[in-house]
Structure formats: C-alpha cells, structure tokens
Amino acid sequence: MSDRVIEVKGVSKQYRLGTVGTGTLSHDLNRWWARVRGKEDPYSRVGQVNKRDQQAESDYVWALKDINFDVHRGEILGIIGANGAGKSTLLKLMSRITSPTTGHIRSKGRIASLLEVGTGMHPEMTARENIYLNGSIMGMRRHEITRKFDDIIDFAGCQMYVDTPVKRFSSGMKVRLGFAVAAFLEPEILIVDEVLAVGDAEFQRKCLGKMQDITESGGRTVLFVSHNMGAVQSLCSRCLVMETGEIAADTTTEYAIARYCELVVRDNCVPIHDRKDRTGTGELQLSSIRLLNSRSQSRAVVATGDDWEFELNYRGSGRISRPNIGIVITSTTGQRIARVMSSESPVEIPHLFDGNVVRMRLKSINLLPAEYQITAFVDSLTFNSVDYIHNAMPIEVIPEEGSLVAKVSDGRRSRTFCFYDCEWEVADPPQSMIHLSEQTEVSTCWQSHRR
C-alpha cells in the first residue's frame, strides 16, 4: 500500500551466548567463506528458541525468528509480550542500532527512538545542547529546532535545568527530556519502549495524549511497547503479541490483550508455598492462588465490571475446625478496598485435608482501571491467624472496550477506586420557579438601566 511506512520481512536475529559479537575468529572465517561462495550463514541452521527459563542446549539462540509485518502511516502499533519475548530486540533493529541476521526492514521517513533512559542524550552536554544535537541528527535545521525549543522545555518541565549537564538529571527527568525531544522534533516514526514507566503519573498521561495528537494531527506513526495494558488499550487499535522471539498474534488490541493474558499467565497459578514473609501458626498454609474467568481460563488482567473467580490451594498437617479463607483487595499504595471471607458465606470450608482447593466467585467488580494487589489469609474459628501472605498476587484492571468507564477513565487522577454506572435525571422546574426567575431577570435589567 502507498501509505506503508515500515515493512518487516523475514527478520531474524541470532546471538551467541556468553560472548560479545559473533564469537571466535574461526566462526567469522567460516561465515566469510560461506559469503564468498554465495552460501548461507553456516550457523543460521543452529540455535534454539529464546526461552529464558530453560537450560541452554546450544551456543546460539534466536532472539527473533521469521518476523513479518507492515505498519501504515498514522497508525499506533502496540507490541506486547512477556519479558524476553523479543520486543526490545525488534525495536533496536527498527532503530538501526543493530542489524538483522536474516531478512530486511524498510522504513520511510525519520525515526526517533526512546528505548531506554537517556537514549540519545550525551551526559556531559546540557539539556539545551542535547536538544540541538538530537535535532541535527534527525536532519532538522537550526531555526526549526529553535522554533520548537520552548515547547520542548515546557513539556519536559525542566526550565530550571536547561543549562545543566544531563548527567545530573534523575531518571525521570531524562525520560521527560528524551520524550519531549523525540515527540516535538516531528519524526515520521516514533518508537517508544517501556521507559515511560519511569515517569510519574502526570507525565505518563501527557505522553499518551501527545502520542495520540501526533498521529491524529500529523499523520505520523508510533510503535509503542508497554506492559501497561490499560495504556495499550486506550492508545492502540492494533497490536503484535510476541512470544519467544516470534509473533504469536497480529490482531486488534482487544484480542491481543486476551492472547497476551493466555501467554504471560498461561497457567497463572502464583505459587506462594515458599513465601518467607508469611505469618501465622502454619497449621494450614495456602500453596497457590490464581484468578480465573467464566471459562475457567487463568488471567491476571481483567476489565471493569467483570466477574472474578479465585482458586486457592491449601495444605497442612493438622486439623482446624471451620477454617476461614479469604482475600483482601488493596491498591498499590496499600489502601484497603475490600475483604471477602468464607465465614461470610453459607458454604462452610471443610476440615483440613491435604491438597484441598477452594474457589470464590465475585460478581461484577467495578474497580476503576489501575493495578491492585491481592492479599490471601486463613483464620481459625477463634480468629487466630493461621496463614497470612501480604500481596500474594498482582492484578491489573483495564477499561472494558466501548463501555462508559472507558470514556470517563482517561487517566485523570482520582482518589476513588470504584465505578458506578448510575442514571441522572433533570426534572422540569416548577412554574413558580420560572416566574421568579423571570422577575429576577427583569428586575436586574431595570436596575442596570437606572444606573
């Protein structure tokens, strides 16, 4: 298509474990001899999939394997996946920081990248000097940079430190300045990795709004990598889901997030049997906890208004009469939002038998989009603490696609946690109130005329 600005075809990236570069001199000679004879790289047929939790069986690993996709002008493409899935490697290839082992990447227009804290910033140079340096590298004239200089400084919020070396900036200030430079110097393609998480909540909202503006008004393209599913859902219309260096899905954001949840929390059973910070008598211990959906599929990302179902496994060596199992939902700041206990249910938890499983279902949880923590506990009939695990499991709540909460929860700061879908009605005022209003208006106009 004519509006295609990025083309990625058959891209793979291979690394050799434990070395810098391609390895030994003999390996380089073998590669050179293969190129001279017009043969393929002899080491391109070896190597294993990039699964970081498995023991290496080869000296080579494929960080990316056969990646194919296109990006069009004005599109905000989300790239999501677990740590080590290949997201950052892909962005480095697209930013020309490194080259692919096989395949090719074609792009149309200037590219600005923000891949890690301080990207493109010289630590010994001031903020002012770095702005002009980055603009020059992107091919801009001095007068163009000068025209946008005040906007960049204002967005970054570092007016006081314009002539201070960047090495004295905090991580958050470096990200502020780096994003402002990348966004305001008008690149055709903006590549943003997870670095925005370093900034505070206010700055993250500004960045998300700015990325929407530059795509809508300027027709520029954004590639956005994040583990914040709420931000991905509100910003992107299309997503790539990465798994072990391959594209597991290229689809709409809604289905991509669902696919991401299946991959990242494929068996989202959080083991808590070895938690050293647990307290209680220990007669009964919770061994694992996971969150299920209506189809009994594990997940750790839920939408506002969804039903929650927790599955808790417990075990022990003694017998407790009517154990009371429960959870506490808290915010990331530690504020308690809700507590649910089995003692409040007509269904009693049976006496302890090793390996029991208990499930609790919570209907229509209307928590606003944010991150939350689940604390799990067990009490006895006398309310003595038997087992208590603080922050046993994290959960992320995102706005439901197309719902009212998706429209009102635009990242604005709120001191509340719950959402209520309520109905408002404005009744017609009584006739006496209408007459009084008319009289007041006439009286006010007459007094004004007398003056």
Side-chain angles (χ1 to χ4, degrees), residues 410-450:
D410 57 357
R412 293 175 292 181
R413 183 176 249 170
S414 174
R415 295 182 181 275
T416 61
F417 299 100
C418 297
F419 171 77
Y420 297 94
D421 188 1
C422 57
E423 296 181 357
W424 292 80
E425 181 180 352
V426 178
D428 294 333
Q431 292 296 321
S432 59
M433 291 294 296
I434 296 177
H435 296 324
L436 179 60
S437 175
E438 292 175 349
Q439 293 173 5
T440 304
E441 182 178 354
V442 171
S443 175
T444 304
C445 293
W446 180 71
Q447 291 178 6
S448 176
H449 178 73
R450 288 188 62 186

Side-chain angles (χ1 to χ4, degrees), residues 112-114 138 177-187 189-191 214:
S113 303
L114 194 62
M138 294 172 60
L177 182 61
F179 182 86
V181 170
F184 279 89
L185 295 185
E186 298 183 353
I189 302 170
L190 177 61
I191 299 177
I214 64 177

